[in-house]
Each structure stands twice: as structure tokens, then as C-alpha cells.
Amino acid sequence: MTQRVFVDANVLFSKTLMDWLFLLREANPAMFQVHSTEDVFAEVIANMRKKCPTAPGHRTVQRAQLIRENLDEVLKDFPSDLDFTGTDRHDYHVHAGAVSGRADLVLTCNDPHDITTTPETEPYEVIHPDEFFILVTDSNPACAIPIARRQIKYWSAKSSHLQLDQALLKAGCPQFASRIREVLTQIAQLP
């Protein structure tokens, strides 16, 4: 059964995490689908602007377009009166979007308690990208090499970049970074 994954802003804000999520989604179309809300987009754009106040406008426009093009669904609305047990009131919209969107998983870099302190009563499970990416590649190990090759080709055209595993480590995904390090070794040994 295809899993519905609600994606939080901190995943879409990180270019590394966003790219891996969308590439894994593309390589595994029946495994999971991704959805989010306009509120999440607004948070991504606000954080991009905060990080780089003088960035040209096309940079945020491009990110928003990239996100929209790669999501399976953009939820238009969610209720304002759900029970919320999370410790971060600013994450109510994540909880409400996940419930409204019938999510099986909430993909976030946040502490799960920010979204719910009663996970056993929620219709979704909170999962970190590191764990999620490992689950996806455990389910389909063959997808990792083509995605890594695609990433290498993309990043090699950029003037300064980290190696794929280093970028994942910096993005907070040590287990997946280790997995990709193994993949990079395999690629290096291929003819």
C-alpha cells in the first residue's frame, strides 16, 4: 500500500533533503506519495529569505515551483480546531495538515514531541529523513545507484559542492550518509 507522507518545511528548506526526497519518490512511485500545505511553503520561503535577505527573488520562486512540481498533492485547507498535544504551538499546522491529508507519516527534522506528545493516538507516525531514506532504500536497494549518479552529474556542474555523503551528513542524516558512501564506493568500482 502506498504510504502518504506529509512533508514539513525543514525538509523542503534543505536543498539536500528536498532533492533526495524527490528523487527517491520519483524512483519509487508506488511506495510513497508526498504532500504538504501552502503554510509549509510559506515557512520554507520565509526561512530562505531570513537566511539570505539579499537573495534575488527568482531563487525563492524557483524553490516554490520545484516543490509544487514534485509534490503529489498540495492540501488547500485544514481545520483550526483539532486537539493538539505538540510542544511547539507553531507546529499545529503540521499536525493539522497531516491529519487532514490522511498522512501515514510526517517527515520532519523536528523532535516528534514538537508535533505530538501522544503518538499512540495519532493517525500518523513522525519520522526523521535519515530514518525514512534508509527505509526507502532498504525496500528498493537498486534505486540508490541511479539516484547517486544523477546527483553526481548535477553537482559536478556546480563550482563548489560537498560530496554527496558529506552533504547528507551536514543535513543531519548520518545513517543515510553512510549508505550513500557505500554506494559511491560501488560506483567507483563499476566500469
Side-chain angles (χ1 to χ4, degrees):
M1 182 175 161
T2 303
Q3 296 287 295
R4 288 182 57 83
V5 180
F6 184 91
V7 186
D8 195 4
N10 48 39
V11 176
L12 298 173
F13 174 72
S14 165
K15 175 93 169 99
T16 299
L17 299 179
M18 180 189 69
D19 287 351
W20 278 101
L21 172 64
F22 290 154
L23 291 169
L24 286 166
R25 166 67 183 92
E26 184 180 294
N28 297 282
M31 190 182 297
F32 67 97
Q33 53 184 222
V34 289
H35 60 277
S36 202
T37 63
E38 294 291 338
D39 288 56
V40 167
F41 299 167
E43 190 176 338
V44 170
I45 299 307
N47 286 327
M48 287 179 70
R49 185 56 60 205
K50 185 186 290 186
K51 181 179 179 184
C52 192
T54 60
H58 74 271
R59 189 173 298 160
T60 55
V61 169
Q62 286 174 337
R63 178 65 63 91
Q65 285 175 332
L66 182 64
I67 292 168
R68 284 186 205 310
E69 289 169 3
N70 285 282
L71 288 176
D72 293 290
E73 181 181 12
V74 178
L75 302 169
K76 302 293 182 204
D77 195 17
F78 52 81
S80 62
D81 59 352
L82 295 176
D83 288 335
F84 178 64
T85 64
T87 59
D88 183 349
R89 66 185 181 95
H90 298 289
D91 278 330
Y92 172 83
H93 72 100
V94 174
H95 166 75
V99 171
S100 181
R102 301 172 326 280
D104 299 298
L105 301 169
V106 172
L107 187 63
T108 184
C109 298
N110 287 359
D111 182 297
H113 287 103
D114 288 351
I115 298 164
T116 180
T117 58
T118 56
E120 66 283 350
T121 66
E122 303 300 350
Y124 58 79
E125 177 184 342
V126 179
I127 190 167
H128 190 277
D130 197 26
E131 183 183 355
F132 182 71
F133 296 164
I134 290 288
L135 286 172
V136 172
T137 54
D138 279 351
S139 296
N140 181 12
C143 76
I145 287 178
I147 294 172
R149 283 186 166 152
R150 190 169 167 186
Q151 288 274 58
I152 291 166
K153 183 177 179 181
Y154 173 83
W155 287 109
S156 66
K158 306 293 180 191
S159 60
S160 62
H161 61 86
L162 295 173
Q163 188 166 304
L164 297 180
D165 59 326
Q166 294 169 338
L168 284 161
L169 196 57
K170 185 176 177 184
C173 292
Q175 293 176 76
F176 194 59
S178 179
R179 168 80 45 94
I180 295 306
R181 192 172 308 113
E182 293 170 12
V183 168
L184 293 173
T185 300
Q186 291 172 359
I187 290 171
Q189 295 171 353
L190 293 173

